[in-house]
Structure formats: C-alpha cells, structure tokens
C-alpha cells in the first residue's frame, strides 16, 4: 500500500496483512449491515464496463452507512470533452473520502493514487491487476479449504489477459501453493509472471490439455473467460474462445474438497450442468465479494479490525 493507504496491488502485502484483511471480511460476514461509515462518501469511477465489481463495492459502502457517488459509463462524464484522468481524479477527490476506480489502461490506478491524497482502490486496470477480486478469491479459498497453505491451484483459460489470475498468483506467494497453468499457447501465463514465480519460489506446471486427469489433484479449479475485449485480432479470439469448457463429466475424479471458482461473468467456459454440482462455488464466491470489499474500504479509511469488533452500530 502506498502512503495514502491506496490498494493498487496485493503484491507488496505481507502474509500477516492478508490474514488480517480476511479476519475483517469474516467479521463483516457475521454482521454486514452497520453504520460504521456514516458520514463518509465513496466514489465509484468505472471507465470500463462492470456489473459485479461495481455493484458489490456500492453495496458494501451502502451496507456500512456510506453514501455513494460516481459513474458506470464514462460517456456521460467530462472525459468526453477531453478532461484528463488527472483532472477527473483531483475533482472527485474534493467530494469523496475514497475512490474505487476501474480503468482500461494498465497503470491507471497507480497514476491516480499519485495525483491525490485520498485512497484509491483499484477495481481493475486493463489486464494488469484486480486486487479486490483477489481478496474475495482468497477469502473463498480460505472458507472452503480451511487454509491457504500448500494448495494445488489450477488456473484455466485466459492466463495472458486475465488480471484476476495475475493478482491471485502474487498474493498466494506467502502460502506455498503449487500452480497449474492450463492454457493454449496464445493465452499462456506471461513470462513476467513466470519469472515472478521463479523469483519467489512459487512452484508451477504448464499444460495445454484440459481433461479429467489434468484436474484430478486440484484443490481449487479457477476458470476464466477468454476476454474478447482484449483481443486486437478477432480471428485469434474465435480460434481459442471454446478450447476449454468444464462440464460435469470432467469432475468424476475430482478431490472431495475441490471447489470451482470463476471471477464471472462466464460465457460458456463452465457448462450449466456444473452449477448444481457440490464442487461449484462461483456464485458463493461472488457473494464473498461484499465482505472482502467492505474490509478493503474500511482498511483504507484507517478503520481497524478492533474498531469493527467493538462496533456498536450493527443493524439487524
């Protein structure tokens, strides 16, 4: 975190800080409706389309008593008149206590944090990072596995442009995971993240085949959609979009504790027949986003775990 407590990436968080934020999320799951942010204003600036992330951040703020301002469509902002990102951020900083921002350009969130003194929470910047998604992923993994340590985590699909898998990889470095990267050549994990694994002693294996046997030892099966909006060559997108589809018949050899995660939205990479399988967890995962994002908002506003435990503003 930077000096003003912005959350741009989880790459620099200590193991203790991650576990602390997960404790905060657990407290919010017990009592999500409070007035602990009464009088605070949260601005949500979404320069790129979003449903789950924007709505869960806004719900998180509303359930804690904050007011929400912002936009979900940059076409209705002064950016269409040529206003710079810097000017937009500095202007909104006059009105809000924290800014939650999604942007299509990599590095935009870090830049925003450098031009304002109020905290920025990165809600996704291009194909770079998505730290709030990673917090809810970590919380989902911890809830279902009862630990973050020594897990086999299989990442499937778009590992090139998938900012959620990039963030997860970096956050898990403290917990001795073994990653299994399953992707076609065109969408394989970028070299910089493989180097990150080498430099941080993170074990990983790579596969082209997606089969019942490939995933039989998985504790977490993390599916991703192939992101059409990141492709400059639509022919390439058409060639790879349906390569890896998970269906019920592939789960015959799955470990009992396996949980299937997906950052959503899905297109067709998880067949509908998987939804009722006890291994499916992606809708509960989305619900966990509320508690993880409540924790992040409070943490950047310098509200502590002890403050939350002692909070007397809990609503029924």
């Amino acid at each position: 975190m930077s000096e003003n407590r912005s959350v741009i990436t989880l790459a620099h968080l200590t193991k203790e800080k991650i576990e602390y934020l997960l404790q905060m999320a657990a407290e919010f799951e017990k009592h999500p409706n409070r007035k602990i942010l009464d009088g605070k204003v949260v601005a949500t600036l979404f320069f790129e389309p979003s449903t789950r992330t924007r709505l869960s951040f806004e719900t998180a703020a509303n359930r804690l008593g904050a007011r929400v301002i912002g936009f979900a469509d940059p076409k209705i902002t002064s950016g269409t008149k040529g206003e710079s990102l810097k000017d937009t951020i500095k202007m909104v900083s006059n009105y809000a206590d924290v800014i939650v921002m999604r942007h299509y350009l990599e590095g935009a969130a870090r830049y925003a944090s450098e031009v304002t003194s109020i905290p920025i929470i990165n809600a996704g910047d291009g194909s770079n990072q998505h730290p709030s998604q990673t917090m809810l992923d970590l919380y989902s993994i911890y809830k279902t596995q009862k630990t973050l340590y020594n897990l086999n985590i299989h990442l499937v699909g778009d590992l090139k442009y998938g900012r959620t898998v990039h963030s997860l990889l970096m956050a898990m470095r403290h917990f001795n995971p073994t990653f299994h990267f399953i992707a076609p050549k065109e969408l394989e994990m970028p070299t910089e993240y493989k180097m990150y694994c080498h430099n941080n002693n993170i074990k990983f294996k790579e596969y082209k085949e997606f089969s019942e046997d490939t995933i039989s030892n998985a504790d977490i099966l993390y599916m991703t959609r192939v992101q059409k909006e990141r492709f400059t060559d639509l022919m390439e997108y058409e060639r790879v979009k349906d390569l890896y589809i998970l269906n019920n018949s592939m789960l015959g050899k799955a470990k009992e504790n396996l949980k299937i995660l997906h950052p959503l939205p899905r297109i067709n990479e998880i067949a509908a027949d998987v939804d009722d399988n006890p291994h499916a967890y992606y809708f509960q995962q989305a619900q966990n986003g509320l508690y993880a994002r409540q924790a992040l908002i409070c943490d950047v506003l310098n509200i502590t775990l002890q403050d939350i435990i002692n909070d007397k503003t809990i609503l029924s």
Side-chain angles (χ1 to χ4, degrees):
M1 289 192 186
S2 65
E3 221 169 74
N4 69 0
R5 302 185 68 83
S6 291
V7 178
I8 307 305
T9 173
L10 300 186
H12 306 302
L13 291 194
T14 63
K15 174 171 68 74
E16 290 74 22
K17 182 66 175 185
I18 289 172
E19 291 171 339
Y20 174 85
L21 288 169
L22 295 181
Q23 284 181 273
M24 289 178 75
E27 288 297 320
F28 283 125
E29 182 166 8
K30 292 177 198 171
H31 301 290
N33 299 314
R34 304 164 181 252
K35 289 293 182 183
I36 199 168
L37 294 186
D38 191 28
K40 299 293 186 184
V41 176
V42 176
T44 55
L45 310 186
F46 279 72
F47 295 87
E48 189 178 53
S50 169
T51 303
R52 271 149 297 277
T53 302
R54 181 177 64 84
L55 290 180
S56 69
F57 263 117
E58 292 182 354
T59 303
N62 280 313
R63 286 189 181 276
L64 294 179
R67 294 180 180 271
V68 178
I69 63 172
F71 56 81
D73 183 358
K75 294 188 185 70
I76 63 172
T77 72
S78 291
T80 59
K81 304 173 186 175
E83 183 175 58
S84 68
L85 177 61
K86 177 182 177 180
D87 286 4
T88 299
I89 295 299
K90 291 185 83 67
M91 181 270 298
V92 175
S93 298
N94 293 324
Y95 310 142
D97 299 287
V98 56
I99 292 174
V100 178
M101 188 178 90
R102 169 168 288 188
H103 204 281
Y104 50 86
L105 290 178
E106 295 183 19
R110 182 164 301 284
Y111 174 74
S113 74
E114 292 168 354
V115 299
T116 181
S117 59
I118 74 167
I120 303 289
I121 299 178
N122 181 8
D125 60 330
S127 58
N128 184 29
Q129 298 280 317
H130 197 348
S132 71
Q133 176 71 43
T134 300
M135 283 309 306
L136 75 91
D137 291 345
L138 292 173
Y139 188 52
S140 298
I141 292 169
Y142 182 77
K143 278 183 67 177
T144 60
Q145 307 300 314
K146 310 305 180 194
T147 183
L148 291 177
Y149 288 92
N150 307 317
L151 298 173
N152 277 298
I153 301 176
H154 290 52
L155 307 177
V156 182
D158 186 352
L159 308 189
K160 179 178 181 180
Y161 299 112
R163 57 193 170 197
T164 62
V165 295
H166 300 161
S167 289
L168 181 62
L169 187 154
M170 300 172 94
M172 284 296 297
R173 73 191 184 282
H174 303 295
F175 304 104
N176 193 37
T178 300
F179 281 103
H180 302 256
F181 302 150
I182 305 173
K185 178 73 175 169
E186 297 91 337
L187 296 175
E188 68 182 20
M189 186 64 74
T191 302
E192 64 196 273
Y193 291 104
K194 294 182 202 173
M195 288 302 300
Y196 184 89
C197 288
H198 287 304
N199 294 338
N200 289 274
N201 299 313
I202 299 171
K203 301 182 290 292
F204 71 89
K205 301 176 182 177
E206 294 188 90
Y207 311 81
K208 297 291 183 286
E209 182 186 1
F210 181 47
S211 68
E212 183 179 26
D213 290 323
T214 312
I215 62 175
S216 61
N217 70 330
D219 299 303
I220 295 293
L221 180 58
Y222 197 105
M223 300 296 297
T224 66
R225 73 182 174 92
V226 177
Q227 299 183 57
K228 184 177 182 180
E229 65 270 25
R230 309 284 178 213
F231 281 77
T232 54
D233 182 349
L234 285 182
M235 292 288 286
E236 184 179 333
Y237 168 75
E238 291 295 330
R239 189 166 62 250
V240 300
K241 67 174 184 176
D242 294 327
L243 285 180
Y244 299 148
I245 297 175
L246 177 68
N247 55 59
N248 239 346
S249 64
M250 295 175 65
L251 297 170
K253 297 181 181 178
K255 293 170 69 173
E256 188 176 343
N257 63 301
L258 170 72
K259 291 300 176 189
I260 302 160
L261 304 185
H262 191 306
L264 301 177
R266 66 171 165 183
I267 308 303
N268 60 354
E269 58 277 355
I270 299 178
D273 67 3
V274 177
D275 291 355
D276 295 325
N277 191 298
H279 296 297
Y281 194 75
Y282 29 90
F283 295 122
Q284 297 97 315
Q285 175 191 4
Q287 183 179 11
N288 289 336
L290 172 63
Y291 318 125
R293 289 176 171 124
Q294 286 182 317
L296 284 174
I297 292 171
C298 284
D299 188 64
V300 300
L301 291 173
N302 215 15
I303 294 169
T304 67
L305 174 60
Q306 201 57 49
D307 292 335
I308 295 162
I309 292 170
N310 296 338
D311 180 26
K312 297 294 191 287
T313 70
I314 293 172
L315 305 174
S316 59

